[in-house]
Structures are given as structure tokens and as C-alpha cells.
Amino acid sequence: MRVVIAEDNVLLREGLQLLLSSSGHEVVGVASTGPEVLPLLLEHRPDVAVLDVRMPPAFRDEGLRAALAAREQLPDLPVLVLSQYVEETYAAELLSGGARGVGYLLKDRVGRVDEFLDALERVAAGGTALDPEVVTELMQRRRDHPLDGLTPREHEVLGLMAQGQDNASIAKALLITERSVHKHISNVFAKLGLPPSDTGHRRVLAVLAFLNS
């Protein structure tokens, strides 16, 4: 894959370049400040962009704004955003409007190489990758009756589903069959009052919409 990286931290930026290059990907552009990001993305039109949320000059949300602006001009551009902390508002804004090929991970996740690369490839393929800690916070915030009605196993399935995991990945993580996963997902959707969907991306968006409501 052809990748553009936008990250102001030199060590992390170089670490990402080394990791991606050694994994067979091509880093076609690197940005260290917010204003550099959009021109770089428009020039290279990469297969996926890895962007820090907070970048110079103001260290607020320059990376996220650049990602949103780029997707307006390149609607199919997959974007994986990195953040130092759980910032639900940023995650919700990135995922709003039925966006495909989007991800939001904490920077600590980069150190878990297999998880990071899996998330990157999922986003590049048009899927969704949401950090487990963001999902956990959203689920803890929704301590209402619908979530209380889920079994412990259904809670686990809901969390993995919200992260963007497909049935096979959920089955592997929980050591159960895909048939069991399908049954649990059907139960979750029924209990939460969500319309059933066989499309992985749509079901992620439905779950996130519920958790954010």
C-alpha cells in the first residue's frame, strides 16, 4: 500500500516509516505540521493516510481537520487517525455521515504491531477500526436499560463489533464459532432495537450511533 504519514513527533514518525516499510508498504509522503497535510494528500492520493489529531502550529485538531478536508475532495480516501488520548468527539466526527475507510486509534496501539497493521489494512479496504478504549468509554457511558439487557457474551460481541471486527475475527477472539457470533449479533441488534444488517460497515455505524446517542 502507498501511505502518507502526518505526525509531528520525530520518533513516532520515523518509527511508523520503518514499521510500514518493513511490512512491505511504501511511504510516499511525510508531514510534520498541519498545513502540510492536505497538499500532500492531494498530491500523492495514497491508498491510506495515517494522521495525528493534534499537530503544529496550534496543537488542537489540525490533523483531523486536514483529514476531513481531504475526504471532501477525495471521498474514497481511507484515513486512520492517531491520538494520544481518548477523545470521543473527534472519533464521532470522523465516523459521522456513514463514512467508509476510517479509523481512530490511540498511539499506544502502534506499539502492538499486529493490531496496528490489521487496523491499517482494514481501513484501507474500506472498513472501520475504532480503538477498544474508545468503545469501552462509550459503552460505560451508555449504562441504560438496553445495554443492561445484554448477556456478558453479548457485551463482548458488541464491543468487538463496534471496533469494526468481522464475524471471523470476533469468533477467533472469543474462541467460538462464526455461527455463534452471528446468533449473538442478531440478539444484540434485537435487544438494542437496531435494524439487522449483513453489511459489516453498516452494522458498525449503527452500533456507534446507538452508543453515541
Side-chain angles (χ1 to χ4, degrees), residues 33-174:
T33 67
E36 298 176 67
V37 178
L38 182 56
L40 199 64
L41 293 175
L42 295 177
E43 176 187 354
H44 292 286
R45 297 174 180 257
D47 297 315
V48 62
V50 180
L51 310 177
D52 186 9
V53 168
R54 300 185 177 190
M55 299 185 68
F59 290 99
R60 297 180 65 184
D61 57 359
E62 289 83 356
L64 178 68
R65 293 294 154 215
L68 295 173
R71 286 182 67 101
E72 287 183 3
Q73 299 188 52
L74 303 172
D76 297 326
L77 174 67
V79 175
L80 178 60
V81 169
L82 303 179
S83 178
Q84 189 70 41
Y85 311 102
V86 176
E87 297 172 286
E88 297 169 15
T89 302
Y90 292 153
E93 187 164 3
L94 186 67
L95 291 160
S96 65
R100 295 183 61 83
V102 294
Y104 183 96
L105 296 182
L106 296 184
K107 290 186 177 181
D108 289 347
R109 201 70 51 188
V110 177
R112 304 173 190 181
V113 174
D114 290 340
E115 290 184 33
F116 172 72
L117 292 176
D118 175 69
L120 184 71
E121 291 173 5
R122 201 184 324 149
V123 169
T128 307
L130 192 62
D131 197 282
E133 290 191 33
V134 176
V135 174
T136 297
E137 288 211 7
L138 291 174
M139 292 180 68
Q140 289 176 343
R141 193 176 67 189
R142 280 296 307 247
R143 290 299 185 185
D144 55 6
H145 179 66
L147 286 184
D148 289 342
L150 301 182
T151 67
R153 177 64 83 191
E154 289 166 354
H155 266 280
E156 291 177 316
V157 170
L158 174 63
L160 292 170
M161 185 166 47
Q163 293 171 33
Q165 300 286 349
D166 60 19
N167 287 14
S169 298
I170 295 174
K172 182 178 180 180
L174 299 181

Side-chain angles (χ1 to χ4, degrees), residues 167-169 171-172 176-183:
N167 287 14
S169 298
K172 182 178 180 180
I176 59 178
T177 66
E178 288 189 46
R179 184 175 180 180
S180 295
V181 171
H182 180 77
K183 181 179 179 180

